Amino acid sequence: SQQGEEDPQALSIQEGENATMNCSYKTSINNLQWYRQNSGRGLVHLILIRSNEREKHSGRLRVTLDTSKKSSSLLITASRAADTASYFCATDSMDSSYKLIFGSGTRLLVRP
Amino acid sequence: DGGITQSPKYLFRKEGQNVTLSCEQNLNHDAMYWYRQDPGQGLRLIYYSQIVNDFQKGDIAEGYSVSREKKESFPLTVTSAQKNPTAFYLCASRPGVYQPQHFGDGTRLSIL
């Protein structure tokens, strides 16, 4: 079953604008991860935020985590056409099950 | 370079035929995973293995089988019992619990 729900399902922005994607989940987690998938390719890990962290940065990426609301957001600043891809959140539950639960993804289109 | 290799990139299955998708990793990771992705959808877990000679069913294991005889290899067989096998199949590995997953570039399976 899919735990993560992402919002919006699709997002279209102009190059240079910021893109924000949201993820909600249902159970207690150890960490939340964000992945990127270019069309027809595998997923690439972007950033991992642990349950005791509230914000994390990596280059133009900023991730926030609110465990009280069971939600996370991914902000991509100063977007580029090359950022066009699908973005997925994934949660690692506290039960050490080795399973990641993926959300349904946000399809981002950055127009040149 | 270390990574995950999936082959073939494209595969066609005839009625009543079993087909096997290959996944090999040289990352020395203990855990390996198989996911199914349908168009415009997220990832659904088929099977996963935490260690050699052991594997567990995921959410959609019916019609699929796996083996884990070597740490490096985790082949997936799509059996004739899987009536709707057309999808994009992704293999992944991770070094341990609560770590990011690394993905191969997928195999696209279609019905002839």
Side-chain angles (χ1 to χ4, degrees), chain B residues 17-103:
Chain B
Q17 186 182 43
N18 294 350
V19 292
T20 297
L21 284 61
S22 171
C23 177
E24 302 280 330
Q25 55 105 353
N26 61 3
L27 298 167
N28 200 34
H29 288 173
D30 285 320
M32 296 187 75
Y33 304 79
W34 274 106
Y35 295 94
R36 171 180 171 141
Q37 186 176 33
D38 291 286
Q41 303 296 312
L43 277 65
R44 291 188 288 168
L45 183 64
I46 306 173
Y47 269 98
Y48 67 105
S49 168
Q50 298 180 30
I51 199 166
V52 174
N53 293 323
D54 185 50
F55 49 83
Q56 287 79 40
K57 292 181 179 180
D59 300 316
I60 56 165
E62 186 174 349
Y64 300 96
S65 66
V66 294
S67 63
R68 186 86 187 275
E69 297 175 0
K70 297 187 301 180
K71 189 174 187 177
E72 303 80 21
S73 179
F74 191 41
L76 172 74
T77 295
V78 184
T79 75
S80 57
Q82 173 50 246
K83 297 306 179 189
N84 183 25
T86 297
F88 189 51
Y89 290 87
L90 286 162
C91 179
S93 70
R94 74 196 293 194
V97 69
Y98 305 148
Q99 298 296 315
Q101 287 189 0
H102 298 247
F103 283 81

Side-chain angles (χ1 to χ4, degrees), chain A residues 2-111:
Chain A
Q2 297 291 336
Q3 164 158 251
E5 293 295 329
E6 294 181 62
D7 165 52
Q9 289 188 326
L11 181 60
S12 179
I13 60 173
Q14 203 71 35
E15 203 165 26
E17 294 179 339
N18 295 342
T20 300
M21 292 159 255
N22 303 296
C23 168
S24 61
Y25 58 92
K26 296 175 184 173
T27 63
S28 296
I29 62 170
N30 174 278
N31 68 73
L32 186 144
Q33 302 176 27
W34 285 91
Y35 290 81
R36 164 192 168 130
Q37 183 182 33
N38 288 81
S39 181
R41 303 295 298 274
L43 278 70
V44 174
H45 177 257
L46 295 175
I47 198 163
L48 181 154
I49 185 165
R50 303 199 185 279
S51 60
N52 61 353
E53 297 175 308
R54 292 296 166 257
E55 188 170 311
K56 204 160 183 181
H57 296 254
S58 177
R60 293 184 295 112
L61 306 181
R62 173 179 166 250
V63 168
T64 61
L65 179 64
D66 187 335
T67 53
S68 67
K69 295 181 179 178
K70 291 186 166 59
S71 68
S72 174
S73 67
L74 170 67
L75 169 67
I76 303 174
T77 59
S79 63
R80 305 165 183 169
D83 293 327
T84 294
S86 291
Y87 292 82
F88 295 90
C89 68
T91 52
D92 244 332
S93 68
M94 293 296 291
D95 64 1
S96 306
S97 68
Y98 268 80
K99 291 194 296 183
L100 273 181
I101 307 297
F102 284 84
S104 51
T106 293
R107 294 187 303 281
L108 173 66
L109 172 64
V110 181
R111 305 186 305 275

